[in-house]
């Protein structure tokens, strides 16, 4: 019998959420509320493989509720039924330049508004997953004291979510994270394109101007777990702690695949600047730090791709 906490994760069937469920479910009672919809144009067959991996491995054993968190009645219903000790807010469209900014903003903000409204009497702790995009563009090192100055639709939604939680949750934690990588993502980010192209043998391109603070998803969910069980209201950066170029990611792939990859180099200056989110606070207070460097993280990712992804 599980004697841990009762945890309800909104957006828990997504990339980060499903990995978080997997790390919690052995000791805690975990329930998931998720719209269960793909918002990216990721390949259909590969999407099926990702959903299969999430459902049959990461989410197995958790209670799953399908629904849209923009619907207050459904949110109230599941919170009343589960009576969680901790609510985690992950409902989001985590795509920087999503084609429908109003929908992106609605899902981010209305979901959190409804969670806070439904939680007024229960007063469960609320953990909100924010992003470096909430603080706007930067090319240096930022701590948790950084002001909110978002310029993208995604960042504006995250910043608004932070403000809602800080002002209307009695007990809360806010987590800002960076460039998360690992198997199970459907958003086809630059590093994902590079890895899949490398495994298939296709040529790809990278932007030499991009700086990314990479964190392996396994490290991220361990950090989220530490934040969840921390008893004070606070903000934490759960990050790799060092921004690097995409060349570093490609070199890690080449090391693990033991071959030179075929890619083109471009220099695009139209991307939002991303520097380093300092993670010293999490190291000191939560006794957390990343266990995976890029070589170790990409090795885990490659192994899961080969095991669970068709045609790779």
């Amino acid at each position: 019998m599980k004697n841990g906490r009762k945890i309800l994760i909104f957006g828990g069937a997504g990339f980060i959420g499903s990995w978080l469920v997997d790390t919690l479910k052995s000791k805690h009672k975990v329930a998931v509320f998720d719209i269960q919809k793909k918002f990216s144009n990721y390949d259909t067959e590969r999407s099926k493989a990702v959903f299969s991996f999430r459902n049959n491995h990461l989410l197995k054993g958790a209670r799953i509720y399908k629904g849209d968190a923009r619907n207050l009645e459904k949110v109230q219903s599941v919170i009343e039924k589960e009576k969680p000790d901790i609510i985690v807010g992950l409902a989001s469209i985590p795509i920087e330049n999503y084609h429908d900014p109003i929908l992106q903003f609605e899902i981010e903000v209305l979901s959190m508004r409804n969670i806070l409204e439904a939680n007024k009497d229960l007063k469960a702790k609320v953990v909100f997953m924010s992003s470096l995009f909430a603080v706007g563009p930067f090319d240096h090192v930022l701590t948790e004291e950084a002001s909110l100055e978002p310029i993208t639709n995604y960042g504006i939604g995250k910043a608004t979510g932070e403000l809602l939680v800080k002002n209307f949750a009695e007990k809360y934690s806010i987590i800002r994270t960076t460039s998360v990588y690992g198997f199970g993502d459907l958003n086809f980010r630059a590093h994902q394109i590079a890895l899949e192209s490398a495994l298939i043998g296709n040529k790809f391109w990278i932007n030499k101007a991009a700086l990314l603070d990479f964190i392996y998803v396994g490290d991220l969910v361990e950090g989220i777990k530490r934040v969840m069980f921390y008893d004070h209201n606070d903000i934490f950066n759960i990050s790799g702690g060092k921004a690097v170029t995409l060349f570093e990611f490609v070199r890690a792939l080449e090391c693990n695949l033991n071959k030179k990859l075929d890619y083109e180099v471009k220099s695009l200056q139209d991307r939002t600047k991303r520097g380093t989110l300092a993670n010293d606070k999490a190291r000191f207070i939560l006794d957390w730090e990343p266990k995976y460097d890029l070589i170790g993280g990409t090795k885990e990712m490659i192994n899961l791709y080969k095991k669970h992804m068709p045609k790779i």
Side-chain angles (χ1 to χ4, degrees), residues 83-265:
K83 294 180 173 56
D85 302 303
I86 300 171
I87 298 171
V88 183
L90 284 167
S92 180
I93 302 178
I95 301 172
E96 183 180 355
N97 295 308
Y98 189 63
H99 65 87
D100 188 342
I102 300 301
L103 175 62
Q104 186 174 39
F105 186 80
E106 281 184 352
I107 287 179
E108 193 77 57
V109 176
L110 291 182
S111 297
M112 187 47 58
R113 179 263 180 197
N114 288 344
I115 289 167
L116 294 167
E117 175 66 23
N119 186 48
K120 281 195 304 186
D121 295 329
L122 183 64
K123 293 181 171 57
K125 177 177 180 177
V126 176
V127 179
F128 177 64
M129 177 58 67
S130 187
S131 164
L132 83 168
F133 286 103
V135 300
F138 65 100
D139 56 7
H140 50 287
V141 179
L142 284 187
T143 69
E144 289 82 354
E145 303 303 316
S147 59
L148 300 176
E149 299 180 11
I151 63 168
T152 65
N153 299 317
Y154 179 60
I156 292 168
K158 288 297 184 185
T160 305
E162 286 196 26
L163 293 172
L164 286 171
V165 169
K166 289 178 71 174
N167 283 282
F168 298 106
E170 186 172 305
K171 296 177 288 185
Y172 72 84
S173 292
I174 293 169
I175 299 168
R176 294 182 189 141
T177 193
T178 52
S179 299
V180 187
Y181 70 99
F183 182 66
D185 198 353
L186 290 171
N187 290 318
F188 219 39
R189 307 176 198 280
H191 61 270
Q192 191 177 358
I193 294 171
L195 184 143
E196 294 191 15
S197 298
L199 291 174
I200 297 170
N202 291 344
K203 186 174 182 177
F204 58 94
W205 66 269
I206 62 172
N207 181 13
K208 73 176 184 180
L211 278 176
L212 300 171
D213 185 351
F214 287 107
I215 182 168
Y216 182 62
V217 65
D219 282 329
L220 173 61
V221 296
E222 178 60 32
I224 295 172
K225 185 169 69 173
R226 302 283 180 97
V227 173
M228 288 170 59
F229 302 129
Y230 179 65
D231 290 331
H232 302 280
N233 295 350
D234 216 335
I235 301 173
F236 288 94
N237 292 337
I238 303 297
S239 64
K242 182 183 179 183
V244 299
T245 67
L246 280 166
F247 288 111
E248 296 299 317
F249 190 86
V250 171
R251 276 194 279 269
L253 294 180
E254 290 178 331
C255 179
N256 282 310
L257 296 171
N258 195 29
K259 65 178 181 180
K260 179 68 176 175
L261 299 180
D262 184 15
Y263 62 94
E264 180 184 355
V265 178

Side-chain angles (χ1 to χ4, degrees), residues 73-84:
E73 289 185 2
K74 288 188 176 181
V75 172
Q76 287 175 323
S77 175
V78 73
I79 287 179
E80 288 172 4
K81 182 175 181 179
E82 290 294 328
K83 294 180 173 56

